[in-house]
Amino acid sequence: MKPGLSVPSVAVVAVLAGALVVGLTACAPASSVGVETGVAGTGSSHLLPARAPSDRAVMRALAVADSLIAAAVEVEIPGAVLVVTHDGAMIHERAFGYAALNDFRGQRLAAPLPMRPSTQFDLASVTKVAATTLAVMLLSDRGMLDVNEPVNRYLPDFRGPHLDSITVRHLLSHSAGLVQWRPLYYQASSAAEAYAAIRGMPLQWGVGEGRHYSDLGFMLLGHIVERVSGTTLDGFLQRELYGPLELRRTLFRPRAHGFTDFAATEQGNVYERHMVYDSTFGYRYTGDPTAWNGWRQYVLDGEVDDGNAWYAHGGVAGHAGLFSTAGELAVLVEMLNAGGSVGGRRYLRPETISLFLTRDRYDNYLGFMRPAGLPEGSFSHNGFTGTYVLGVPHYGIGIVLLTNRQNMGTDARGYFPNIGPLQNSVVRAILAGFEDGNDTP
């Protein structure tokens, strides 16, 4: 995760969300921003049957959520797709606005591309849970990996006075003491070179000293999955999870697989370049900014935005690179909500899910984030491109809200629109409907 995107906390915007709910309960999304309801087979998986909610409070809540997103289109975001599931069924799927609004100069396109339920998004750090954490869970479930073992059990050359004490659990809980972010592409043009660079870096904190969110830790987890499984990260997931679930649009490097319908992100790597050249912007980089100059100079769609994933890992990395649709991500959330089963097939044991979704000493989970202010057991993650997934097992709810906020461009300070309040307001509105209605356990 890069600076500038907060982790959603419903409590922070409860007052704002309450006001919006009161003002927008009777509203429907404005047609001028391009609203498209999902069609079976376009964006969702057949494993989740469609079912209209029967409770009036839930229906009003979904209308409020739609109105909140519609109001943000062309102001904060070019477009979005929202999917809500309940007890194994998809009760809401809607696309808003545009998949591509601006060109490489940051100017509005003459004919913006409409957003569709089938549009694939660059998930950014949602990759950490929808790909890497799930891959580690699968290996743990099968007894092939123990999260309490040191990393060097699986990566034998990951050795050193401090590295020896780092466990897989430390990586999953962001407590290994690793550097949070570096532009590894300044010294690495392959996954092997990136791994060597991470292995050779001094730690920034003591092992287990605290939770410090690190992309580098999840890059290492990607390498562990490959070493233990004997195949690539994307190959393992396709064979063991996405393929069996028939998630056809959930994959790395989607253009290489013939897909063409993407939500556009930014105009090249403007944000990361700013991070490298300005030591006061984001994570401090002390190297020579001019030592590398391979920056992309075109609108990114179908190519992962994250520089370390693209330049140093060829598009497949443990921290970023996965693409998917809101409907297909909802299947993965539903699987976790349902104790590891979906479509009549079990993928994970409940005990494995409990291991990863039990609060740790840092008051968080393994891989997943524990969202504040939500019912106990809720889990989430967001991504820098504007993506968000949430599971609320207490109500049997899954919420996936994908936006392409980066295509709006940056403000005068160099930041992309902050959509944390929008995410929080949508979540609060939907949960309020279930709390007030009869569609609850």
Side-chain angles (χ1 to χ4, degrees):
M1 180 187 295
K2 302 181 183 73
L5 183 64
S6 60
V7 176
S9 169
V10 169
V12 174
V13 294
V15 175
L16 171 62
L20 287 167
V21 168
V22 171
L24 292 169
T25 297
C27 295
S31 59
S32 61
V33 297
V35 179
E36 180 179 337
T37 301
V39 179
T42 59
S44 58
S45 169
H46 72 278
L47 290 175
L48 294 184
R51 172 174 61 82
S54 58
D55 188 89
R56 288 182 178 273
V58 173
M59 289 188 283
R60 286 195 300 267
L62 294 172
V64 170
D66 284 350
S67 297
L68 292 166
I69 299 168
V73 170
E74 295 190 74
V75 178
E76 296 178 302
I77 55 175
V81 180
L82 173 67
V83 166
V84 182
T85 61
H86 182 224
D87 288 346
M90 181 179 291
I91 63 170
H92 192 70
E93 182 181 44
R94 183 153 289 186
F96 306 79
Y98 308 105
L101 183 64
N102 292 331
D103 64 16
F104 72 95
R105 297 179 299 272
Q107 303 299 311
R108 185 183 176 113
L109 294 168
L113 300 178
M115 189 73 78
R116 305 183 188 282
S118 59
T119 299
Q120 290 171 283
F121 286 76
D122 174 354
L123 300 183
S125 284
V126 171
T127 300
K128 292 180 173 71
V129 292
T132 309
T133 299
L134 286 176
V136 174
M137 292 174 79
L138 287 168
L139 293 172
S140 173
D141 195 79
R142 298 170 186 181
M144 300 171 67
L145 181 151
D146 185 339
V147 299
N148 296 311
E149 287 291 328
V151 171
N152 59 41
R153 174 176 175 180
Y154 307 108
L155 301 175
D157 58 347
F158 193 79
R159 303 302 297 262
H162 302 294
L163 302 186
D164 287 347
S165 61
I166 297 176
T167 65
V168 176
R169 179 182 288 273
H170 284 131
L171 299 181
L172 287 163
S173 61
H174 296 282
S175 61
L178 293 164
V179 170
Q180 294 182 283
W181 180 84
R182 284 288 187 276
L184 297 178
Y185 39 89
Y186 270 66
Q187 59 192 112
S189 58
S190 68
E193 291 177 354
Y195 169 65
I198 297 171
R199 192 183 62 214
M201 283 185 191
L203 298 182
Q204 192 166 353
W205 296 274
V207 177
E209 183 180 294
R211 188 179 189 277
H212 304 283
Y213 188 97
S214 174
D215 277 0
L216 277 62
F218 268 75
M219 293 178 207
L220 290 175
L221 286 167
H223 288 288
I224 290 172
V225 170
E226 295 190 339
R227 184 68 63 90
V228 174
S229 69
T231 187
T232 59
L233 175 64
D234 54 335
F236 175 72
L237 285 162
Q238 177 60 34
R239 185 184 71 202
E240 303 296 335
L241 189 62
Y242 305 152
L245 285 170
E246 298 188 31
L247 304 183
R248 300 180 181 89
R249 296 173 183 267
T250 303
L251 71 172
F252 294 84
R253 295 185 293 205
R255 279 203 178 278
H257 295 272
F259 291 98
T260 59
D261 181 13
F262 305 110
T265 54
E266 62 177 317
Q267 292 79 41
N269 285 117
V270 174
Y271 194 94
E272 282 194 27
R273 192 179 188 280
H274 192 170
M275 290 171 66
V276 170
Y277 274 80
D278 184 350
S279 62
T280 67
F281 185 79
Y283 303 120
R284 181 177 176 82
Y285 177 63
T286 58
D288 176 10
T290 66
W292 181 86
N293 192 32
W295 305 105
R296 288 172 285 182
Q297 303 292 331
Y298 49 88
V299 175
L300 306 179
D301 65 341
E303 291 183 8
V304 57
D305 175 76
D306 184 274
N308 281 322
W310 180 255
Y311 302 121
H313 288 86
V316 182
H319 72 293
L322 189 68
F323 284 70
S324 188
T325 66
E328 292 198 354
L329 281 177
V331 175
L332 299 176
V333 175
E334 172 57 26
M335 178 187 69
L336 296 170
N337 273 346
S341 296
V342 66
R345 175 173 174 176
R346 179 168 297 285
Y347 294 87
L348 293 168
R349 292 177 297 127
E351 296 84 354
T352 300
I353 296 175
S354 179
L355 170 67
F356 280 72
L357 295 181
T358 296
R359 290 199 204 193
D360 60 19
R361 59 180 292 195
Y362 311 104
D363 202 28
N364 232 298
Y365 300 139
L366 298 184
F368 295 88
M369 296 175 176
R370 191 183 71 81
L374 272 65
E376 189 65 27
S378 300
F379 57 91
S380 68
H381 212 288
N382 56 12
F384 186 74
T385 51
T387 55
Y388 179 66
V389 296
L390 169 70
V392 187
H394 178 75
Y395 292 141
I397 299 170
I399 299 174
V400 180
L401 175 58
L402 305 182
T403 77
N404 53 341
R405 69 168 188 147
Q406 289 180 301
N407 194 236
M408 292 293 289
T410 59
D411 61 20
R413 300 177 302 154
Y415 292 103
F416 292 113
N418 176 17
I419 61 167
L422 173 64
Q423 293 168 338
N424 291 325
S425 298
V426 168
V427 169
R428 173 59 99 185
I430 293 170
L431 291 188
F434 280 91
E435 290 165 355
D436 295 341
N438 299 316
D439 280 359
T440 57

